[in-house]
Amino acid sequence: MIYGKLCYLSRCKGPHNNLNAAIDWIENRMKLDDLSIGTTVIDGDNVYVNRFDYVTEPADKLLFEAHERYADIHLLLSGEEAIHVSNIQDLTEEKREPEDDYIGYSGESQAICVMRPGTFLLVFPEDAHKVKASYLTESTVQKAVVKIKM
């Protein structure tokens, strides 16, 4: 997991070509405000972005999620949410949907990242993340998640 200000995202570049392509796209070509709801393909199934809106909920009503094949970069266009993060080894698997690369987990949060426009959260396959959680109050969120094939 890497959490920080979007202006420092380029520091996450490294030896993984798909991660580098995703960061290049975010920094050089992406205009979050221009993304329409749904999926935008960047590099086939190697890198793509999902854009969606939702209203946050109390964290205790939500499961953690993890993905075996993809890392995620979470970016908020508007609103505020808390994303809870824990290592998958410290959680209990509750649900598995392999066709959607989704595993649902329950357990305790090891970190809570407050997401607002201008922040990013990069989570890897071992980082289960509980999204859509309210921070202090319920919030309507506009969000983009860049999916990076690992």
Side-chain angles (χ1 to χ4, degrees):
M1 169 190 89
I2 302 173
Y3 168 72
K5 295 284 186 186
L6 195 52
C7 61
Y8 300 118
L9 180 62
S10 65
R11 293 181 180 176
C12 297
K13 283 188 174 180
H16 202 288
N17 290 336
N18 291 344
L19 177 59
N20 295 339
I23 292 171
D24 285 343
W25 182 80
I26 291 167
E27 291 186 326
N28 301 317
R29 292 180 285 283
M30 184 188 75
K31 293 192 178 2
L32 281 174
D33 295 337
D34 294 341
L35 280 176
S36 25
I37 299 286
T39 300
T40 300
V41 175
I42 299 165
D43 179 17
D45 69 343
N46 290 320
V47 182
Y48 62 94
V49 61
N50 289 326
R51 166 70 179 85
F52 45 91
D53 300 344
Y54 54 83
V55 177
T56 60
E57 320 177 27
D60 61 356
K61 295 183 177 187
L62 303 166
L63 285 176
F64 287 91
E65 66 180 59
H67 317 288
E68 292 182 319
R69 298 186 308 268
Y70 285 88
D72 294 345
I73 300 176
H74 294 256
L75 305 161
L76 264 66
L77 287 74
S78 68
E80 176 180 77
E81 78 173 311
I83 299 181
H84 297 239
V85 183
S86 286
N87 188 282
I88 59 173
Q89 294 179 352
D90 298 321
L91 299 172
T92 303
E93 184 175 324
E94 300 289 343
K95 184 176 183 181
R96 184 175 284 263
E97 298 171 1
E99 66 281 356
D100 294 324
D101 193 30
Y102 170 88
I103 306 166
Y105 292 93
S106 62
E108 293 185 25
S109 300
Q110 295 171 332
I112 300 173
C113 301
V114 179
M115 300 295 297
R116 297 181 179 108
T119 60
F120 75 91
L121 176 63
L122 169 57
V123 289
F124 295 96
E126 65 274 11
D127 301 319
H129 42 290
K130 186 184 291 192
V131 297
K132 301 182 182 179
S134 300
Y135 176 53
L136 297 175
T137 61
E138 181 180 281
S139 178
T140 299
V141 169
Q142 294 181 313
K143 185 174 187 177
V145 176
V146 181
K147 305 291 287 183
I148 304 150
K149 191 175 207 176
M150 294 277 107

